Amino acid sequence: MSGTVLERQRIDKWLFFARVVKSRSLAAKLAQAGRVRVNRNKIEQAAYQIKVGDVLTISLERHVLVYRVLAPGARRGPAEEARTLYEDLTPPAPPRDAVVKASAPRRDAGAGRPTKKERRALDRWRDDP
């Protein structure tokens, strides 16, 4: 194959080769669901052509991945080979202590069940953005 043929690749194939998902059909479903962005533009086609230098934002179940495409894939090889296809730009996760809200209502251990007023305060606190 010539170099120009491999300069672009379908997004579903690349996601499969880079080991983002377990199968190519899952990669196609991920793209069709609009959970992949290429250079901040939402795509909805599994056949979308990506190229070297594109930045992919992939929304998975529990986290978001940000990858810069370094090379098109030729096969689904081992994980070490898959890591050569992208540069990971994903921001680091916040520390677990930072996830807890600072002004969370506290109860003494063994103080029993919360009252109705305390439950409503907890509900308001949980729903607060």
Side-chain angles (χ1 to χ4, degrees), residues 77-90:
E80 297 81 28
E81 183 180 321
R83 279 190 226 106
T84 64
L85 300 179
Y86 60 87
E87 175 186 355
D88 191 358
L89 304 174
T90 306

Side-chain angles (χ1 to χ4, degrees), residues 11 15 20-21 26-38 40-46 55-66:
I11 187 74
L15 291 171
V20 175
V21 291
L26 287 175
K29 288 178 185 176
L30 190 70
Q32 291 168 350
R35 300 181 69 189
V36 179
R37 290 178 180 263
V38 178
R40 294 188 177 168
N41 297 321
K42 187 186 290 188
I43 62 163
E44 294 179 351
Q45 294 179 343
V55 177
L56 306 178
T57 306
I58 306 154
S59 175
L60 298 176
E61 295 249 345
R62 299 180 189 256
H63 55 283
V64 175
L65 302 174
V66 181

Side-chain angles (χ1 to χ4, degrees), residues 62-78:
R62 299 180 189 256
H63 55 283
V64 175
L65 302 174
V66 181
Y67 290 160
R68 176 177 288 125
V69 178
L70 297 179
R75 68 184 188 113
R76 182 175 168 95

Side-chain angles (χ1 to χ4, degrees), residues 105 107 112-127:
R107 291 186 50 83
R113 294 180 55 184
T115 64
K116 191 171 188 178
K117 182 177 178 181
E118 291 170 332
R119 282 196 315 268
R120 288 179 178 160
L122 282 171
D123 289 340
R124 279 193 304 272
W125 175 76
R126 285 186 191 124
D127 295 337

